[in-house]
Amino acid sequence: MTAIRLVEPDDSRALADLLVRNRAFLAPWSPIRADDHETVEGQRRDIDLVLERHHRGESVPFVVLDAAGEVAGRLTLSGIVRGPFRSCAMGYWLSEDRTGRGLATRAVAAALRHVFDDLGLHRVQAETLVHNTASQRVLARNGFVQYGLAPRYLEIAGRWQDHRMFQRLRDDPPVSSGH
């Protein structure tokens, strides 16, 4: 079963519910958002915006699905650049009760297939907070390699924080199934 699909306006309630239930879990990894971000209306506006970007070819906003086909989080390909760069960035989050089961690893693998096979891009980058070892393991299992450290890269949890920089190239060696 595919672990991702394009987000739909009807996902707004499920996403709002996940964000409310996971507020404390996601807070250390997330930017501070507007008060209505976790509401159905806030999620609906966010989905409308990301789908506009998708229609312009700038991003691909997915929901991550668990084994039962229920929305378990988000994965977004953003900053899609064509021409000689052919690159994008990847970011994702999962509900705390869906972590530790390989779901993020499968979702990232599915997104990579979309990036390389469907979009024809050459490179995907992803950044993690320095102490986010769980996401670093997900990236490593999918063949990403660290290529740098960005000091004070993003404002997360109300402060500018350092991030490890990772990338996966189209022609990187395949990832063995033993990962």
Side-chain angles (χ1 to χ4, degrees):
M1 175 174 130
T2 303
I4 57 175
R5 69 161 166 75
L6 194 64
V7 69
E8 301 170 351
D10 287 345
D11 293 324
S12 57
R13 179 163 304 283
L15 288 167
D17 290 346
L18 284 177
L19 289 168
V20 168
R21 280 200 331 260
N22 288 276
R23 184 178 293 136
F25 174 69
L26 295 172
W29 319 108
S30 302
I32 295 175
R33 309 257 191 204
D35 290 342
D36 71 343
H37 178 72
E38 297 171 348
T39 66
V40 174
E41 297 78 20
Q43 283 302 294
R44 181 62 183 253
R45 277 193 305 278
D46 182 66
I47 290 169
D48 289 345
L49 286 171
V50 297
L51 287 175
E52 283 178 30
R53 289 185 196 118
H54 174 64
H55 292 301
R56 291 192 305 261
E58 299 169 358
S59 71
V60 184
F62 293 113
V63 287
V64 178
L65 304 173
D66 66 14
E70 298 294 321
V71 174
R74 290 274 309 266
L75 184 151
T76 302
L77 305 172
S78 61
I80 295 173
V81 178
R82 303 290 181 173
F85 193 45
R86 290 193 308 245
S87 183
C88 72
M90 178 188 296
Y92 58 89
W93 62 266
L94 282 183
S95 178
E96 183 177 20
D97 63 343
R98 271 49 169 258
T99 62
R101 302 177 190 177
L103 183 56
T105 299
R106 289 190 302 277
V108 168
L112 287 172
R113 285 190 298 276
H114 185 73
V115 165
F116 298 135
D117 298 344
D118 300 333
L119 299 177
L121 300 180
H122 168 71
R123 177 179 178 274
V124 182
Q125 69 182 50
E127 300 81 26
T128 72
L129 288 166
V130 172
H131 57 282
N132 190 345
T133 55
S135 278
Q136 292 164 18
R137 284 191 302 270
V138 166
L139 295 173
R141 286 185 195 113
N142 279 286
F144 282 78
V145 295
Q146 184 177 336
Y147 69 93
L149 177 71
R152 297 174 307 284
Y153 182 66
L154 291 174
E155 188 177 12
I156 301 295
R159 62 188 178 88
W160 292 97
Q161 296 195 51
D162 298 350
H163 282 66
R164 295 182 191 271
M165 312 289 286
F166 295 87
Q167 70 177 13
R168 171 77 193 267
L169 303 178
R170 176 186 197 96
D171 56 357
D172 281 346
V175 178
S176 73
S177 59
H179 283 272

